[in-house]
Amino acid sequence: MKTIQTDVLVCGGGCAGIAAALSSARNGAKTLLVERAGFSGGIITTVGLPYFDGLIDKPSGRFVVKGIALELLQKLGVAKEGAKHIDDLRPDLITKYWGSVYIPNVEEFKLLSDELILKHRDNLKVLYHSMACDVEVKAGRISAVTIANKDGLTRIEAKQIIDSTGDGDVAHWAGCPTIKSTPLMPLTMHFRIGNVVPVKETKDAAKKVLIEAHKEGRLPNFYGPGLIFAFAKDECYVHATRVPADATDAADFTRAEIQGRKDAWTIFNEWKTKVPGFENSYYIMSGPYIGVRDTRRIVGLNMLSLEDLQKTTRHDDAIATGCWFLDIHPPETTLDKPFTGSGFQPKPYDISYRTLIPQNVSNLLVAGRCHSASSEASASSRVTATAMALGEAAGVAAALAVKSNSEVGVFDGVKVREKLANQNAGPFSEV
Ligand SMILES: Cc1cc2nc3c(=O)[nH]c(=O)nc-3n(C[C@H](O)[C@H](O)[C@H](O)COP(=O)(O)OP(=O)(O)OC[C@H]3O[C@@H](n4cnc5c(N)ncnc54)[C@H](O)[C@@H]3O)c2cc1C
């Protein structure tokens, strides 16, 4: 089998992974990013979701994440130079009710990621259409990760590894303990409908026909529905499908993808034939992948808990700040608001470096929604901007560990925090 050597390997180029790869390369480590899709961006580009939640503390309007997440928003024309408050964002791209900001075009995100990766080409290589699929572990270290792509199988020997697959794939295969929520949050296929002319009755009628379709067995599950006109006045971006599944089980994941696609088309057909405003509409696209909210999370050296959010626990080795509410999607049909439970809104809270460190393996960090957090806490820390902040921290830590001939699993999180502060990233929990 062919072997490639690198300082840092980043598995998964989603929200956390793109930030991890850029920050590792910028901090001087020879970095390889492998991503199963043909582009970076994860939820943004594989599912088509434009929101950067977790950036803004809703009550105060101030940013609790800066660094690469903010840089991306600046490069996409969403945030001003030096932005630090919701008022410094393009007003037409803010949803004040949620304390949320979104990008105007998810396709552009693919181009921006490519551009940034190529800009750092001396240190940063990318392999798209490449899936991490196995690991070799020797004496408590990952000695190689196997990837599968059009070259067949290739071994990657990396000094330090970042698992940003969303599912903790690498950690799981390396034997690190992981947990899953019970029940798992459901999957959602987002889709877009063009040439919609919304009228006063549209929203209520759209909900009514889905209730009927659900009762009559044509639509097994749905939520909301969310009819969002974010991209254009006549384009309806739909948040409504809900498919319970375990996306770490290949057969179940496939079933969910098929079900999500079918449900999205059913919703479109119901609306086109029965809802005022949809008469001349057409189905633009779904996905391209169904969205996965919740799978494995590592049981790390520290686990972010609901109590940490309630008491705003402080950590010397905080490397990121979370602020999103407890956004728990149940796996059954719900109307109007998508989440259940308290929807508790924490004050900006610290996330310890040790939530990225799995047990049993010394050269692996796990960043993004699969970092170490309880079910409740991860319902807050899983969102886009928070995942990017965790990825950026992991990239810094991996590069520093390589430079000092150390391992990420024993590296001092306080040093990671200091380095992040120098690059306008890291925790912004304190006002
Ligand atoms: C339907 C849905 C709606 C959501 N709504 C919002 C919202 O409105 N606002 C918000 O802020 N957040 C939202 N989220 C949550 C959030 O943005 C994600 O959880 C976020 O994507 C976490 O980032 P990540 O990098 O951990 O995972 P991802 O962004 O999913 O990235 C993981 C990447 O790894 C790749 N990958 C997976 N396995 C492998 C492998 N073995 N080898 C190589 N590559 C691999 C994937 O292709 C993907 O690109 C939503 C999530 C879902 C699913």
Side-chain angles (χ1 to χ4, degrees), residues 229-360:
F229 291 83
F231 299 114
K233 283 198 177 75
D234 64 348
E235 188 187 307
C236 183
Y237 167 48
V238 185
H239 286 213
T241 70
R242 186 165 262 180
V243 187
D246 182 346
T248 60
D249 175 316
D252 208 28
F253 194 16
T254 303
R255 178 193 61 76
E257 191 82 47
I258 292 170
Q259 186 68 50
R261 194 153 40 234
K262 184 169 177 230
D263 292 351
W265 194 262
T266 300
I267 291 171
F268 164 67
N269 259 331
E270 292 285 330
W271 288 353
K272 184 167 170 72
T273 50
K274 298 176 190 162
V275 173
F278 281 88
E279 296 86 348
N280 298 313
S281 65
Y282 64 97
Y283 194 107
I284 301 175
M285 68 177 297
S286 66
Y289 290 47
I290 194 166
V292 178
R293 291 187 175 83
D294 189 16
T295 52
R296 298 184 200 102
R297 294 182 304 279
I298 56 159
V299 180
L301 298 194
N302 175 268
M303 183 178 283
L304 184 70
S305 68
L306 177 59
E307 205 185 356
D308 290 331
L309 272 59
Q310 288 166 333
K311 294 188 172 161
T312 338
T313 313
R314 295 295 173 214
H315 293 283
D316 290 343
D317 69 345
I319 42 76
T321 298
C323 68
W324 196 242
F325 71 98
L326 291 198
D327 193 353
I328 303 173
H329 284 239
E332 63 271 341
T333 296
T334 56
L335 295 179
D336 303 317
K337 70 172 189 181
F339 62 94
T340 49
S342 65
F344 169 68
Q345 172 66 62
K347 294 198 183 94
Y349 59 88
D350 282 353
I351 306 181
S352 157
Y353 174 61
R354 287 160 294 140
T355 72
L356 308 181
I357 305 178
Q359 295 177 42
N360 301 346

Side-chain angles (χ1 to χ4, degrees), residues 136-158:
E136 294 166 32
V137 181
K138 280 191 197 132
R141 298 188 82 251
I142 296 180
S143 47
V145 174
T146 305
I147 63 165
N149 58 22
K150 281 293 186 180
D151 295 343
L153 298 180
T154 302
R155 290 175 75 254
I156 314 288
E157 290 179 356

Side-chain angles (χ1 to χ4, degrees), residues 11-17 34-37 39-44 46-47 49 51-54 100 130-133 164-167 169-170 173 186-190 223 239 289-294 324 327 329 367-370 382-385 387-388:
C11 299
C15 303
V34 296
E35 163 57 46
R36 105 186 126 163
F39 41 79
S40 304
I43 183 89
I44 301 166
T46 60
V47 182
L49 186 104
Y51 298 100
F52 273 53
D53 294 341
S100 193
S130 299
M131 176 124 180
C133 58
S164 40
T165 60
D167 302 318
D169 284 352
V170 177
W173 297 326
L187 284 64
T188 290
M189 178 73 83
H190 287 317
Y223 72 100
H239 286 213
Y289 290 47
I290 194 166
V292 178
R293 291 187 175 83
D294 189 16
W324 196 242
D327 193 353
H329 284 239
R369 68 174 166 84
C370 44
R382 70 189 175 90
V383 291
T384 300
M388 286 181 178

